Amino acid sequence: KQYLLLVLLQQIAWQGRGGGGGGVLGQVLYGAFIDTNSPASNFEADARRKVSVELSYVDWDGNALNITYLEHNRQNGKMSMITWQPSLGANTLSQILSGSLDYYIISWATSANSWGKPWFLRFAHEMNGNWYDWSENHNGNQPGQYVLAWVHVWNIFNKYANNQVTFVWCPNVIFTGTAALSEVYPGDKYVDWIGMDGYNWGTEGGNEWSSFSAVFSDTYAQLSSLTSKPMWIGEMASSETGGDKGAWISDAYSQILNNFKHIKGVNWFNINKEQPWYIESSASASSSFASVINNGMFTTNYYQNLPKGKIYPPTS
């Protein structure tokens, strides 16, 4: 009953939205990571639509939870998704499990409780790979420690944050050598949303041009069999090299709506990093993105009045 009441309250809040949504509620949360060297307004102008979720990254190097940032996003109708990265060097998971960093975790949880508004926490993402300090079976980490570390962090937030934080568990898309998803999934009790990160790397470096379905289908199927939790694409983007990026974008967002029904949120990774992932890499990419993201099925910035508690998927 409590769950249904929270969902109803969120739907009422969404219907009472106050920002450029074009009059349509939308079925999928529209989010993005926007290069911090460029104002979010530039991306939103190019996309011709304001995001409903802004993705960011924070390392465990003493950074406090930035309430000013969270509140700024809220006042502009956006929810925040913070990717919290425990970059602690060797034996990262053992360090978390030792309890020596509990004071830091508690500081975030108590700050979240004091602020009293909902936001997404994407903790220790892409754990099934081997490129982060917290990766399972790498960097001195032992089998089973990732789940224990996740539960350790979740328990602290459960005690101190008063249900204000929505936990997103987000592996990388699977490929040869990644850890089995079932081995690193903490369990439904400790996860609110699941996710997956994936990219079309194009033909550079010996890669092959890969459609949205080629990138995500296998992982989507495994995740869907693992749990019924709502799903994010935590990070997504395409190369320009070896194919038509504009067409890739159009197909990707259409596939999400038509053939990947468990996906209820998607973040575009808008930055020139390993490749020019940003939509402004070509006129075709920018135009295609703006066209598909404004088709009435994706949310925008009408979340300033979202009620306390966990964040649930939108319904049209």
Side-chain angles (χ1 to χ4, degrees):
K1 291 182 179 179
Q2 184 181 24
Y3 173 89
L4 293 175
L5 177 60
L6 285 170
V7 173
L8 177 61
L9 288 172
Q10 287 196 346
Q11 298 308 317
I12 293 171
W14 289 333
Q15 295 290 354
R17 58 197 180 276
V24 178
L25 184 61
Q27 292 183 352
V28 177
L29 294 173
Y30 160 43
F33 168 70
I34 303 167
D35 188 348
T36 54
N37 294 315
S38 176
S41 57
N42 289 359
F43 168 80
E44 291 175 333
D46 292 330
R48 302 200 297 274
R49 191 171 185 83
K50 294 180 181 294
V51 300
S52 55
V53 179
E54 186 170 306
L55 175 66
S56 63
Y57 297 80
V58 178
D59 286 333
W60 280 33
D61 55 4
N63 289 306
L65 177 61
N66 190 339
I67 299 300
T68 301
Y69 168 76
L70 294 175
E71 181 62 19
H72 172 79
N73 279 349
R74 188 195 69 80
Q75 289 182 7
N76 284 280
K78 303 173 187 177
M79 295 178 284
S80 299
M81 179 182 290
I82 296 179
T83 302
W84 206 24
Q85 304 181 128
S87 302
L88 304 172
N91 304 303
T92 284
L93 298 179
S94 292
Q95 292 184 58
I96 295 172
L97 289 169
S98 73
S100 63
L101 295 165
D102 283 4
Y103 72 93
Y104 181 58
I105 306 168
I106 290 170
S107 73
W108 271 58
T110 54
S111 292
N113 184 46
S114 296
W115 184 52
K117 305 294 192 303
W119 54 284
F120 291 103
L121 180 62
R122 194 171 72 125
F123 171 64
H125 67 307
E126 299 179 7
M127 76 303 295
N128 58 326
N130 63 2
W131 46 87
Y132 284 128
D133 287 356
W134 53 87
S135 296
E136 182 97 348
N137 298 329
H138 296 280
N139 194 38
N141 301 317
Q142 301 302 311
Q145 283 189 321
Y146 178 84
V147 167
L148 293 175
W150 176 285
V151 171
H152 184 84
V153 171
W154 185 92
N155 281 333
I156 291 175
F157 272 82
N158 188 54
K159 180 177 180 180
Y160 291 98
N162 196 27
N163 213 38
Q164 297 304 316
V165 180
T166 299
F167 272 76
V168 181
W169 175 80
C170 190
N172 196 78
V173 292
I174 58 176
F175 58 87
T176 302
T178 54
L181 297 180
S182 59
E183 293 178 4
V184 291
Y185 183 58
D188 283 1
K189 176 181 177 180
Y190 306 102
V191 172
D192 299 305
W193 291 60
I194 57 173
M196 51 182 174
D197 294 350
Y199 295 83
N200 168 31
W201 289 85
T203 55
E204 289 189 7
N207 294 303
E208 295 182 356
W209 183 267
S210 301
S211 67
F212 174 87
S213 293
V215 173
F216 288 102
S217 287
D218 289 348
T219 309
Y220 177 83
Q222 287 198 23
L223 289 173
S224 296
S225 66
L226 190 63
T227 178
S228 60
K229 293 288 184 176
M231 192 182 302
W232 267 98
I233 293 183
E235 300 173 16
M236 178 181 81
S238 174
S239 170
E240 286 276 7
T241 306
D244 185 336
K245 181 174 178 177
W248 193 96
I249 290 171
S250 296
D251 174 69
Y253 283 90
S254 296
Q255 289 287 339
I256 289 168
L257 294 175
N258 295 318
N259 299 318
F260 292 77
K261 297 295 187 178
H262 293 163
I263 295 175
K264 298 300 181 181
V266 54
N267 289 320
W268 183 266
F269 195 69
N270 206 67
I271 190 172
N272 187 7
K273 195 180 176 186
E274 303 94 345
Q275 297 212 32
W277 302 120
Y278 54 167
I279 62 170
E280 297 87 352
S281 59
S282 67
S284 171
S286 182
S287 175
S288 294
F289 188 90
S291 177
V292 73
I293 211 66
N294 284 284
N295 69 2
M297 303 303 289
F298 295 94
T299 59
T300 187
N301 64 322
Y302 38 64
Y303 291 96
Q304 56 267 60
N305 297 317
L306 198 64
K308 292 181 178 181
K310 301 289 187 177
I311 301 170
Y312 298 101
T315 56
S316 58

